[in-house]
Amino acid sequence: MRILFLDQSGKPGGAELCLIDIAKPYGDRALVGLFADGPFKDLLQQNNIPVEVIATQAIQVRKESSLLQGLKSLGQLAPLITKVVKIAREYDLIYANTQKALVVGALASFFSRRPLVYHLHDILSKEHFSQTNLRIAINLANHFASLVIANSQASKTAFVQAGGRPDIIEVVYNGFDPKNYKNDESEINKLQQQLGLQRKFVVGHFSRLAPWKGQHILIDALAKCPPEVTAILVGDALFGEQDYAQQLHQKVAELGLENRVKFLGFRSDIPQLMAACDLVAHTSTSAEPFGRVIVEAMLCAKPVVAAKAGGVMELVEHGFNGFLVTPGEPQELAQVIITCLQETEITATIASNARTSASQRFDMTAINNYIAKLLVSKFNSN
Ligand code: UDP
Ligand code: GLC
């Protein structure tokens, strides 16, 4: 099967990293059409996935856009849709990986008569999106998609609650290759040395810098922990959240934590950095649709503490393979950090349970096979 994948982003967020793993097995039978140039294109090329930047002008719709803004942007989209219709004729199926890709993909699917699959990486609720954006996404999916793949039960539930058709949606978790998360101890020691992390209790936070990812909660929690507890914040402001990044630096200075918080920016050596930590914290203040970083930490056999909302509750069972805390509560987070610092044996057992269960539940080969089966069945029934 030949697949035209569409994604609006030039930057590698979680949805884009997931797309790499899904598109890779198709080799030359896939093309990823991007609506923006950037490092995501380079990553696709490094993985030998055919890629083309098909729109260079940014599409002006934001998560909170009004109907008028939405309609204006539809006009801008016409040339892009025409282009996608032409390309789609060479492929059997259109696979939209983001919301703007859904808008373009839905119309292109109609004009090119190719089935549409929508991979839903978001919780479609008012917490995350404007009413207009929600309505557009649900209506387009309901009318044009043969299949919606939800990245968690939480994303599926929100889709159905917002009026999405329950008969077209399937939950498929992100897949991971456990091989990528095996680390060499001497390499990790070297990394710890380079970053000045030896003899510290290191809490890692791995996420783009954005207010709802809640890096500020970890900083507040750190201020309530003993001085040997240090944090590394890995990730950059990918989608224009520079103000938040600045606020975080300011907060660190105000709390006098300059020696205990390191900002490492965007990194490509996530498994190694996770291995250099004693605990990985996930602190989203709004419901996380899935949370790749949680599974990655589990595969590195690191204990995880995560904010209890959305897809996270499908990944973490408190006290068995990780710890859950109330979102937005630094005091509770600090308490778990201190427990992990003190109760090393229980914590090690929890981390080991996490590795075993995550390697079974999120195995990339099995998940890719399942997606292939779903695509073939939808393609044949079309
Ligand atoms: N990530 C990365 N480099 C960084 C920070 C994060 O490669 O500096 C990766 C991280 O390993 C994960 C993804 O970005 O695979 C983020 O996905 P997640 O689902 O956790 O959150 P999202 O950003 O998609 O909401
Ligand atoms: C999105 C979500 C994140 C999820 C990722 C992969 O970026 O915000 O929670 O893990 O997609 O599905």
Side-chain angles (χ1 to χ4, degrees), residues 34-354:
L34 298 182
F35 303 169
D37 206 343
F40 178 39
K41 182 187 76 180
D42 306 333
L43 265 181
L44 286 158
Q45 282 169 339
Q46 283 159 25
N47 281 280
N48 299 315
I49 300 168
V51 53
E52 193 179 323
V53 178
I54 50 182
T56 42
Q57 238 187 347
I59 302 168
Q60 304 297 343
V61 200
R62 300 187 66 84
K63 280 184 161 187
E64 60 282 1
S65 284
S66 69
L67 185 60
L68 193 67
Q69 285 163 317
L71 286 175
K72 259 199 211 153
S73 60
L74 259 186
Q76 296 172 358
L77 288 182
L80 176 58
I81 293 166
T82 312
K83 214 165 168 181
V84 174
V85 169
K86 205 166 147 213
I87 300 174
R89 296 215 166 98
E90 306 294 317
Y91 292 85
D92 300 314
L93 187 136
I94 301 174
Y95 192 114
N97 196 52
T98 57
Q99 285 209 39
K100 289 174 198 168
L102 169 67
V103 176
V104 174
L107 295 168
S109 142
F110 177 75
F111 290 116
S112 64
R113 297 162 160 228
R114 295 296 184 270
L116 173 75
V117 171
Y118 173 37
H119 198 142
L120 174 63
H121 293 279
D122 294 305
I123 291 189
L124 293 176
S125 71
K126 285 190 198 144
E127 195 184 8
H128 286 280
F129 296 95
S130 72
Q131 185 64 35
T132 307
N133 279 4
L134 287 180
R135 227 180 274 151
I136 292 175
I138 297 289
N139 283 326
L140 290 176
N142 280 352
H143 287 104
F144 296 100
S146 310
L147 169 68
V148 177
I149 295 178
N151 64 353
S152 65
Q153 188 59 49
S155 297
K156 175 181 169 175
T157 303
F159 177 82
V160 174
Q161 269 171 4
R165 280 172 53 191
D167 58 315
I168 53 170
I169 189 158
E170 298 281 345
V171 174
V172 184
Y173 291 133
N174 283 210
F176 299 83
D177 185 350
K179 249 195 346 277
N180 296 339
Y181 300 89
K182 291 217 164 76
N183 289 298
D184 174 67
E185 209 167 313
S186 69
E187 211 182 295
I188 303 309
N189 285 340
K190 231 189 280 165
L191 188 59
Q192 282 171 328
Q193 213 167 2
Q194 272 168 16
L195 297 172
L197 301 175
Q198 290 152 311
R199 288 174 300 283
K200 306 253 166 67
F201 185 88
V202 183
V203 184
H205 194 292
F206 297 82
S207 177
R208 58 201 162 86
L209 304 180
W212 76 274
K213 291 290 188 180
Q215 281 87 354
H216 58 287
I217 304 291
L218 175 59
I219 296 171
D220 281 336
L222 205 70
K224 302 176 194 300
C225 291
E228 71 263 37
V229 182
T230 296
I232 56 170
L233 299 185
V234 183
D236 210 348
L238 286 190
F239 304 114
E241 299 94 344
Q242 261 68 26
D243 285 356
Y244 181 63
Q246 216 176 342
Q247 284 164 26
L248 289 177
H249 282 278
Q250 228 167 338
K251 189 184 238 325
V252 168
E254 277 163 20
L255 293 170
L257 295 172
E258 292 97 328
N259 295 328
R260 292 171 58 196
V261 180
K262 287 185 197 303
F263 288 85
L264 300 187
F266 186 87
R267 302 274 297 221
S268 311
D269 52 349
I270 298 298
Q272 290 79 358
L273 285 165
M274 283 184 171
C277 294
D278 296 288
L279 172 68
V280 172
H282 165 272
T283 57
S284 294
T285 54
S286 299
E288 181 77 54
F290 177 73
R292 290 175 60 83
V293 289
I294 296 171
V295 177
E296 290 171 321
M298 288 175 163
L299 292 170
C300 292
K302 288 295 153 183
V304 184
V305 51
K308 188 179 174 183
V312 172
M313 287 147 76
E314 297 158 53
L315 311 180
V316 180
E317 193 183 321
H318 184 74
F320 168 67
N321 62 354
F323 301 90
L324 289 170
V325 287
T326 313
E329 293 288 341
Q331 181 63 51
E332 209 180 309
L333 178 59
Q335 203 46 59
V336 171
I337 296 174
I338 293 167
T339 303
C340 292
L341 174 68
Q342 292 169 348
E343 307 281 345
T344 47
E345 236 173 85
I346 300 173
T347 307
T349 308
I350 285 178
S352 158
N353 292 344

